[in-house]
Amino acid sequence: MKLASIDIGLKRIGVAISLTGTIVTPQNAILRKNRNQAANDVNSFLKEWEIEKLIVGFPSASPDMQKRVSHFVKLLELEIPYEFQEENMSSVEAEEMMKGEIKYKRDGRVDSLAAKIILERFLSKKN
């Protein structure tokens, strides 16, 4: 089953995919200009990769972000099943993995690495 995960942030949406169910690959993050543009970009990404299920990072520590994530998922008008996956500390873990990279930039790599971690957590839960 082709899976994708998203890590929804206020400026960027991290994206990762798993086409085989074992290897997870981070993709280029989606930059958010506004909610509708970001939702359209996520929908296009899901169609382009023929994704069969979406895993959405869900922040249990922040009720405000939970509302934002839930609202954003509704904007997607998904035709595929989706599931929420606990995402706490995934961005911190991703930043740790990026240490040592040439200058730390907000280019979306950390966001997509966080999405990769979220999808790996989901897959490890299934095995």
Side-chain angles (χ1 to χ4, degrees), residues 7 57 86-97 110-111 113-118 121:
D7 180 35
E86 171 60 54
E87 71 160 31
N88 282 357
M89 303 300 287
S90 61
S91 293
V92 173
E93 206 175 308
E95 284 177 13
E96 282 297 312
M97 292 169 82
V110 169
D111 306 278
L113 208 47
K116 176 183 189 281
I117 292 165
I118 291 164
R121 288 179 187 173

Side-chain angles (χ1 to χ4, degrees), residues 9-120:
L10 299 176
K11 296 192 171 124
R12 286 169 300 280
I13 298 170
V15 186
I17 59 170
S18 175
L19 303 178
T20 61
T22 51
I23 299 169
V24 180
T25 311
Q27 301 296 304
N28 289 333
I30 293 169
L31 296 178
R32 278 181 75 148
K33 295 175 189 86
N34 62 59
R35 286 185 301 231
N36 292 332
Q37 161 270 323
N40 287 336
D41 287 356
V42 170
N43 282 332
S44 296
F45 177 86
L46 297 174
K47 282 184 179 68
E48 179 185 336
W49 285 95
E50 300 173 352
I51 298 300
E52 298 165 276
K53 184 171 189 174
L54 178 64
I55 309 307
V56 180
F58 198 70
S60 66
S62 169
D64 181 51
M65 275 308 287
Q66 287 175 356
K67 282 185 196 145
R68 289 173 186 260
V69 167
S70 296
H71 178 71
F72 185 79
V73 170
K74 285 185 182 96
L75 290 176
L76 293 175
E77 299 175 359
L78 293 170
E79 295 172 12
I80 57 172
Y82 69 92
E83 208 172 304
F84 290 112
Q85 169 65 42
E86 171 60 54
E87 71 160 31
N88 282 357
M89 303 300 287
S90 61
S91 293
V92 173
E93 206 175 308
E95 284 177 13
E96 282 297 312
M97 292 169 82
M98 292 285 292
K99 281 207 166 110
E101 291 281 326
I102 305 168
K103 199 157 178 192
Y104 179 73
K105 295 190 301 189
R106 291 313 248 160
D107 60 3
R109 286 184 294 174
V110 169
D111 306 278
S112 289
L113 208 47
K116 176 183 189 281
I117 292 165
I118 291 164
L119 188 49
E120 286 172 342

